[in-house]
Amino acid sequence: MFFLYNLLTHIAAPILKIAALFSPKMKLFVSGRKTVFYTLAEKIQPNDKTVWFHAASLGEYEQGLPVMEKIKAKHPNHKIIVTFFSPSGYEVRKNTKAADVVVYLPLDTKAKAKKFMDLTHPELVFFIKYEFWPNYLNEIKKRNIEAYLISGLFREKQVFFKWYGGFYREALQAFNHLFVQYDSSKKLLQNIGFTNVTVSGDTRYDRVSEILERDNTLPFIEEFIDGKTTIVFGSSWQKGEAMFVDFINNSKNTKLIIAPHTIGNDHISELQNSITKKTVLFTEMEGKSLADYDVFIINIIGILGKIYSYADAAYVGGGFGTAGLHNILEPAAFGVPIIIGPNHQKFPEAVALVQMGGCIAVKDKAEMEEALSLLAYDDTYRTEKGHIAGTFVNMNRGAVDTIMKKITD
């Protein structure tokens, strides 16, 4: 099976190059990997001490960041290397100050894994959540490098737990310890012989809790809100926007902020044209009296987390399509009640928060409008839901301390 895996990995390379001709995202995926080894050779010297963090995409990076910061504080003279598999992570965080070197992870072939490890020679390795690359993990094991999985998430359908997944199970042996989010993951790993497992929880709770301590002030948002009840529609997709645009058009005495997932001009124009309320774009706000507007469309990325601090209620997108639910923990950390779509079952934090009552799952336009109306106009209902959301985040903190204590013991 491992031979077949390696064969398919080699075959994938030219196929990806062809796909890049037709997909902007795939073009970034392919072109971004062309200079990885050159960048590593330029930025890492043979005598440098390094720590390597690997994240699939942006969400996993955010999970790993609080551990990364603790490791940096503990080893200030080590260079932090961050690798991404996906362009959606790399393109957003390629200039992060948390790391010394940020690159794409080269495809998982034996030769590339060896070359990568030769150039980076890490003393510590952290993989985040669920990306497992057998050739890289085998290189880590061969070199006897200390390695950890953090915020791990395992499901019964994964290859590790199938009869044909032996080489994947062997790759997991590279980890000195596996920190998982839930007891169910620990039990699955124990069933295949792994005892070096700790249920630490999800580091994202620690990460989002940290945003409460930073400066979240945005004067232009304060001017726009003008003391009124505010609903933020974060990371919205077209399917979700179709569900809430009529509520926006019919709302009264409410300020509405939309931060779409897609900020291309065509989509922003279409969204703006569907709204009958007085609307302003972030990129066109200069010189305008923002308090005079009802709807603020944020057509840039990078400030949604701070905007949530001004929300009285929030809708978080992704739950009406197949792309995946976006981050509900950021608004929850601020004690903001949340509305999401029906496709959230693969997100344990969403399932749990819905069960607790701090998050409302809606399946259609009618339910969306009902939930928005309750949160917009019923102060008691909104306050109760928000308190549950904030408490939920606070009671799940502590994963980072558990991980660091185990590592440093």
Side-chain angles (χ1 to χ4, degrees):
M1 282 294 178
F2 195 26
F3 169 79
L4 181 60
Y5 170 85
N6 282 313
L7 178 63
L8 291 173
T9 303
H10 281 283
I11 292 172
I15 294 174
L16 291 171
K17 290 179 181 179
I18 295 172
L21 299 174
F22 306 96
S23 167
K25 186 174 181 179
M26 192 57 66
K27 184 178 181 180
L28 290 171
F29 181 95
V30 172
S31 62
R33 284 170 164 79
K34 290 180 178 178
T35 59
V36 168
F37 293 129
Y38 172 80
T39 300
L40 293 175
E42 181 183 44
K43 293 189 175 183
I44 301 173
Q45 303 307 311
N47 60 339
D48 285 338
K49 294 181 177 181
T50 68
V51 180
W52 171 30
F53 285 81
H54 174 64
S57 192
L58 183 59
E60 290 73 35
Y61 168 84
E62 295 294 337
Q63 283 179 297
L65 186 56
V67 176
M68 198 183 304
E69 291 170 342
K70 294 280 188 181
I71 291 293
K72 186 66 174 177
K74 184 176 173 58
H75 301 284
N77 296 320
H78 285 57
K79 286 186 175 179
I80 301 294
I81 302 163
V82 172
T83 56
F84 285 101
F85 183 75
S86 166
S88 56
Y90 175 80
E91 294 301 325
V92 176
R93 290 291 180 259
K94 60 186 175 183
N95 296 316
T96 178
K97 294 179 180 178
D100 299 283
V101 185
V102 183
V103 293
Y104 281 99
L105 184 71
L107 291 181
D108 186 37
T109 66
K110 288 183 178 181
K112 288 180 179 178
K114 184 179 184 303
K115 187 173 183 179
F116 178 90
M117 297 301 291
D118 287 342
L119 289 168
T120 59
H121 45 82
E123 293 183 7
L124 268 173
V125 175
F126 294 89
F127 275 39
I128 305 164
K129 194 174 180 178
Y130 53 49
E131 278 225 331
F132 307 97
W133 299 109
N135 286 308
Y136 282 99
L137 289 172
N138 286 342
E139 278 296 320
I140 290 168
K141 186 180 177 183
K142 278 183 194 176
R143 298 170 191 234
N144 199 30
I145 298 169
E146 194 174 343
Y148 298 94
L149 174 70
I150 55 178
S151 291
L153 196 59
F154 291 87
R155 297 186 178 91
E156 195 172 355
K157 293 182 179 179
Q158 287 174 301
V159 66
F160 309 102
F161 313 108
K162 304 296 183 182
W163 64 266
Y164 50 82
F167 72 95
Y168 262 103
R169 290 191 288 273
E170 186 177 345
L172 284 182
Q173 294 175 9
F175 294 111
N176 292 67
H177 206 84
L178 300 105
F179 296 96
V180 297
Q181 296 184 36
Y182 304 104
D183 192 57
S184 57
S185 292
K186 181 178 180 177
K187 288 177 179 176
L188 284 170
L189 289 167
Q190 286 176 330
N191 289 340
I192 57 172
F194 287 88
T195 58
N196 55 334
V197 185
T198 296
V199 180
S200 60
D202 190 343
T203 52
R204 285 184 302 166
Y205 293 98
D206 297 271
R207 171 61 180 153
V208 297
S209 294
E210 290 175 1
I211 68 177
L212 300 176
E213 301 168 8
R214 72 187 182 193
D215 181 6
N216 292 295
T217 305
L218 294 172
F220 59 91
I221 294 293
E222 292 179 4
E223 180 187 348
F224 167 74
I225 288 172
D226 195 28
K228 294 184 173 64
T229 300
T230 303
I231 300 177
V232 174
F233 301 84
S235 302
S236 62
W237 293 73
Q238 285 179 304
K239 285 186 178 180
E241 290 160 2
M243 302 286 178
F244 63 66
V245 71
D246 282 348
F247 170 83
I248 287 177
N249 290 334
N250 296 315
S251 62
K252 297 177 181 178
N253 201 36
T254 305
K255 292 286 186 165
L256 306 129
I257 301 173
I258 310 174
H261 177 75
T262 302
I263 57 171
N265 290 336
D266 290 345
H267 177 63
I268 295 299
S269 179
E270 181 182 350
L271 176 61
Q272 190 173 17
N273 289 336
S274 70
I275 297 170
T276 57
K277 293 276 186 178
K278 196 172 182 183
T279 305
V280 62
L281 302 182
F282 176 90
T283 53
E284 297 176 0
M285 69 176 180
E286 289 299 324
K288 295 180 179 178
S289 178
L290 298 179
D292 294 336
Y293 292 85
D294 304 302
V295 182
F296 202 157
I297 298 178
I298 310 299
N299 56 336
I300 64 162
I301 60 173
I303 61 172
L304 178 57
K306 290 188 176 185
I307 290 174
Y308 280 135
S309 71
Y310 292 92
D312 293 295
Y315 163 79
V316 176
F320 280 101
T322 58
L325 182 67
H326 291 280
N327 190 352
I328 68 167
L329 296 181
E330 280 192 340
F334 290 109
V336 175
I338 302 152
I339 300 172
I340 59 174
N343 301 334
H344 63 273
Q345 298 303 320
K346 291 184 178 180
F347 299 84
E349 71 280 6
V351 173
L353 192 50
V354 168
Q355 290 175 345
M356 288 184 67
C359 183
I360 306 165
V362 300
K363 66 177 184 294
D364 54 32
K365 183 179 177 183
E367 290 189 359
M368 172 76 82
E369 292 182 347
E370 180 183 7
L372 286 169
S373 294
L374 281 168
L375 292 175
Y377 307 122
D378 188 329
D379 293 348
T380 301
Y381 178 84
R382 182 176 65 246
T383 300
E384 289 176 352
K385 294 285 185 183
H387 177 71
I388 293 170
T391 301
F392 173 75
V393 172
N394 190 52
M395 74 183 196
N396 281 288
R397 295 172 63 178
V400 174
D401 288 341
T402 299
I403 292 168
M404 293 305 299
K405 185 176 185 302
K406 189 77 175 180
I407 290 173
T408 55
D409 277 352

